[in-house]
Amino acid sequence: MKKIFLFALFLTYFGVQSQSSQSAFKTGEWLKFRMHYGFLNASYATLQVNSTTIDDKPVYHVVGHGETTGVASWFFKVDDTYESYFDKRDGKPYRFVRKIDEGGYTKDVEINFDHNASKAELNDKKNKKKLNFTLENNIQDLISAFYFLRNNYKTEDLEVGKAITLKMLYDDDGIFDFKLKYLGLEVLNTKYGKVECLKFRPLVQSGRVFKEQESLSLWVSNDDNRIPIRIKADLAVGAIKADLDGYNGLKHQFKIIMD
């Protein structure tokens, strides 16, 4: 379930512009999401933005963590950590870490990106193997993509029903194209009040996890923060929902519609 939530976070890609004073986030931003599976309050996920350096380059270091809580943990225990180190100027990823334990299914993967050589090395620590990939333009990992894309689309350029493609690398499946559609504006009722959102629907692979190709929906705040407000997915078994449950350190004012 946690992988589904983090998978959904990056699903926006519209145009290219460098990070600037108008960027959507800053160091210190913290987001918390509460997930429901059926009637169960299944788990929580957090995303924290930090700053550090890699090879003397200033980078953002984002840590995403999720785990099941309460009754849900009796049936299916999840303890996942994702980390991404990406350039503060242009958002290029330098390192991606994925350590997950989902009901006994584990992964321990690290990807190092060498943009000068146009290659990436994936180190599968669990299975003690390494894979090499040739990088393509605007490549992103699962976490860096979310932050890169928050800075790189213009609301006025969105077209309802138009499909967008983004190249991703975060596992040994290799680089792949991910397609999604913009569905328009929608106002959601949240714990904070009414929030105007941009709604997206990615085209996912139906089968083992998702019920149908268009089973996943994502709502992003239509303000300068562009943070996920809600995620819903119809799974092969049941459905899952995630809502923004807490935030701190936003760079811009969180816009609430006042009645």
Side-chain angles (χ1 to χ4, degrees):
M1 291 182 287
K2 192 56 53 201
K3 181 168 64 176
I4 293 167
F5 168 73
L6 290 169
F7 181 68
L9 285 181
F10 67 85
L11 304 179
T12 48
Y13 176 66
F14 307 95
V16 177
Q17 64 184 51
S18 62
Q19 286 198 355
S20 66
S21 60
Q22 298 304 312
S23 65
F25 61 93
K26 64 180 181 179
T27 299
E29 181 187 84
W30 175 84
L31 303 174
K32 180 182 180 181
F33 301 88
R34 183 174 62 176
M35 300 180 67
H36 299 269
Y37 182 71
F39 66 90
L40 296 176
N41 180 21
S43 58
Y44 287 92
T46 59
L47 286 167
Q48 173 74 48
V49 181
N50 307 303
S51 289
T52 186
T53 60
I54 288 185
D55 296 330
D56 296 325
K57 298 183 180 71
V59 299
Y60 288 112
H61 175 207
V62 174
V63 179
H65 182 71
E67 59 183 283
T68 47
T69 60
V71 175
S73 63
W74 300 352
F75 300 99
F76 190 82
K77 187 173 182 178
V78 171
D79 187 0
D80 291 355
T81 298
Y82 292 76
E83 298 181 62
S84 180
Y85 300 77
F86 54 92
D87 197 287
K88 284 191 172 184
R89 181 181 59 85
D90 58 19
K92 289 182 179 179
Y94 291 112
R95 183 179 300 154
F96 174 70
V97 177
R98 182 183 180 198
K99 295 182 179 180
I100 66 171
D101 186 344
E102 300 172 350
Y105 174 77
T106 62
K107 274 186 174 287
D108 187 356
V109 170
E110 179 176 313
I111 303 175
N112 287 287
F113 297 82
D114 185 341
H115 297 282
N116 291 329
S118 297
K119 67 179 183 179
E121 181 184 77
L122 183 149
N123 184 3
D124 183 343
K125 298 180 181 180
K126 175 185 174 182
N127 296 308
K128 298 181 179 180
K129 67 178 182 179
K130 294 182 179 181
L131 300 173
N132 291 294
F133 300 95
T134 299
L135 295 184
E136 303 180 41
N137 290 336
N138 295 325
I139 193 74
Q140 294 290 324
D141 66 48
L142 185 61
I143 299 298
S144 70
F146 167 51
Y147 292 89
F148 174 77
L149 300 176
R150 285 171 66 187
N151 281 343
N152 289 274
Y153 71 81
K154 297 179 181 179
T155 304
E156 59 268 25
D157 292 338
L158 303 181
E159 297 181 25
V160 174
K162 183 177 180 180
I164 306 299
T165 300
L166 172 65
K167 293 189 180 298
M168 299 288 299
L169 173 63
Y170 69 92
D171 207 343
D172 56 9
D173 291 333
I175 298 171
F176 66 97
D177 290 333
F178 193 90
K179 295 183 179 180
L180 68 149
K181 293 192 298 186
Y182 171 59
L183 299 184
L185 295 173
E186 187 172 328
V187 175
L188 295 185
N189 290 312
T190 75
K191 64 179 289 184
Y192 305 103
K194 294 181 179 179
V195 179
E196 184 177 70
C197 297
L198 305 165
K199 184 178 180 180
F200 303 96
R201 179 157 296 158
L203 303 179
V204 297
Q205 183 177 1
S206 60
R208 187 179 63 87
V209 176
F210 295 103
K211 186 176 181 180
E212 297 176 353
Q213 190 181 35
E214 297 192 14
S215 294
L216 186 64
S217 299
L218 167 69
W219 291 261
V220 178
S221 63
N222 188 24
D223 59 19
D224 290 335
N225 296 299
R226 301 161 192 161
I227 56 176
I229 301 299
R230 178 169 297 162
I231 299 162
K232 293 179 67 177
D234 293 323
L235 309 180
V237 179
I240 194 167
K241 176 184 176 184
D243 285 307
L244 181 68
D245 193 60
Y247 63 88
N248 198 5
L250 297 182
K251 185 171 183 178
H252 307 282
Q253 181 179 0
F254 184 25
K255 292 186 178 180
I256 306 296
I257 297 175
M258 305 302 293
D259 292 328

